[in-house]
Amino acid sequence: MQQFIQPPETSSLAHQVRLALQEDVGSGDITAQLIPEDRYSQARVITRQEGVFCGGPWVREVFRQLDTRVQVSLLVKEGERLVAGQTLFRLQGPARALLTGERTALNFVQTLSATASHCRELADRVAHTRVKLLDTRKTLPGLRLAQKYAVTCGGCHNHRIGLFDAFLIKENHIAAAGSIQAAVEAARKLAPGKPVEVEVENLAELNQALKAGADRIMLDEFSLEQTREAVAITQGRAGLEASGSITRKNLVAVAETGVDFISLGTLTKDIQSLDLSMRLIG
């Protein structure tokens, strides 16, 4: 299971930006053409609210693809906490390019910063425990790698990236395979180096998953009492991941049970975009 500490590789990032520009610019920015082609300007982008910054590489790529004459000066670092009114970056170059790229650049930053900000808030809540908060595959289509990178900028961690890098054996997989033991054995034979996680719904299934040798066990919709009992039974023989019906209200209580991980689809899907603004200053 991969942990992003750097942005996605250049080809992936460039592809994301290319699609976003095609969607927005299409056959051409007709409004920007009202401005003389030789006019150069400067601009600054501010945040109207506090949060955590993420998305600088996407800003650079947006303007690289539009016009290499645009100079991007990032004034904050990835993962840096922001205050309302703070300037995030400055731009200098052809006015047409600045205005054409404005919305695409801000869309990336407002979305990725929102993800990072939400993750930082929740990570801070459980910082007194040893638990790691994990994202899921509940990401915006086409922005999987970008959002998972933003998760790490906010101090949380990545679960599997997709269906290809780790096994997650759920109820239907178990039913089709015949048993937890059979499913785990089949996974080991199919891809010996891949992590194997089993989702369980009760303590009896937990014991079956432990006997089968699962690397990690997901406790699905366990109560706090059941989760604490699962920790006592497991005694470190497998990683324990709590999942299901976990909210801001009970997050700390779940973390304090002693589980190793808590997976939260909300890290990437229940986010509110950071409020940004760009203004030409010359």
Side-chain angles (χ1 to χ4, degrees):
M1 299 184 187
Q2 187 173 354
Q3 176 71 10
F4 287 107
I5 55 175
Q6 297 292 333
E9 62 183 41
T10 302
S11 59
S12 174
L13 195 155
H15 180 66
Q16 292 168 357
V17 170
R18 189 174 302 112
L19 291 178
L21 287 172
Q22 288 174 357
E23 179 179 63
D24 200 31
V25 181
S27 60
D29 181 354
I30 59 175
T31 310
Q33 292 174 26
L34 300 175
I35 302 168
E37 187 175 3
D38 60 354
R39 180 180 173 186
Y40 272 63
S41 294
Q42 300 179 48
R44 70 186 184 108
V45 171
I46 67 166
T47 175
R48 293 194 177 101
Q49 62 187 110
E50 64 181 22
V52 173
F53 180 74
C54 182
W58 284 264
V59 174
R60 291 192 185 280
E61 182 61 20
V62 165
F63 291 104
R64 186 195 70 81
Q65 290 192 22
L66 283 173
D67 195 321
T68 57
R69 293 172 294 176
V70 175
Q71 299 177 27
V72 178
S73 299
L74 295 171
L75 304 180
V76 292
K77 297 178 181 179
E78 301 288 280
E80 183 176 330
R81 292 183 187 268
L82 307 173
V83 297
Q86 186 172 356
T87 300
L88 306 182
F89 54 91
R90 296 180 183 273
L91 304 169
Q92 183 174 346
R96 286 187 179 184
L98 300 188
L99 294 172
T100 297
E102 173 186 358
R103 178 42 50 200
T104 300
L106 267 58
N107 280 350
F108 279 114
V109 173
Q110 71 186 24
T111 301
L112 299 183
S113 294
T115 303
S117 300
H118 184 52
C119 288
R120 181 64 57 82
E121 176 198 350
L122 297 186
D124 286 348
R125 287 174 180 254
V126 298
H128 64 290
T129 73
R130 65 184 183 86
V131 77
K132 291 183 178 180
L133 302 185
L134 304 177
D135 56 25
T136 69
R137 292 186 295 121
K138 296 175 182 178
T139 54
L140 294 170
L143 289 181
R144 170 74 51 85
L145 299 183
Q147 275 199 290
K148 281 184 172 284
Y149 163 69
V151 164
T152 66
C153 284
C156 292
H157 300 265
N158 299 141
H159 202 285
R160 57 180 181 165
I161 304 305
L163 297 173
F164 52 86
D165 59 328
F167 291 98
L168 179 47
I169 301 170
K170 297 189 176 186
E171 179 183 11
N172 288 332
H173 300 107
I174 295 168
S179 68
I180 289 175
Q181 182 74 42
V184 172
E185 288 178 356
R188 297 296 188 199
K189 291 179 181 178
L190 179 63
K194 301 286 187 183
V196 177
E197 180 170 6
V198 177
E199 180 185 71
V200 301
E201 298 180 346
N202 52 58
L203 295 175
E205 290 182 352
L206 169 68
N207 282 306
Q208 292 173 36
L210 287 170
K211 184 178 179 181
D215 299 307
R216 187 183 297 179
I217 301 171
M218 179 185 290
L219 309 176
D220 182 40
E221 301 284 355
F222 273 42
S223 68
L224 288 175
E225 183 180 352
Q226 289 173 319
T227 302
R228 283 189 285 267
E229 190 171 352
V231 171
I233 291 171
T234 302
Q235 295 184 341
R237 288 179 287 165
L240 285 184
E241 175 184 332
S243 182
S245 301
I246 299 172
T247 67
R248 280 186 173 91
K249 291 183 179 180
N250 64 1
L251 175 65
V252 173
V254 176
E256 290 176 345
T257 63
V259 291
D260 303 289
F261 310 98
I262 298 175
S263 54
L264 298 156
T266 59
L267 293 186
T268 51
K269 73 182 184 70
D270 291 356
I271 59 173
Q272 182 175 351
S273 295
L274 214 63
D275 188 5
L276 309 177
S277 176
M278 187 181 99
R279 289 289 183 269
L280 291 182
I281 54 178

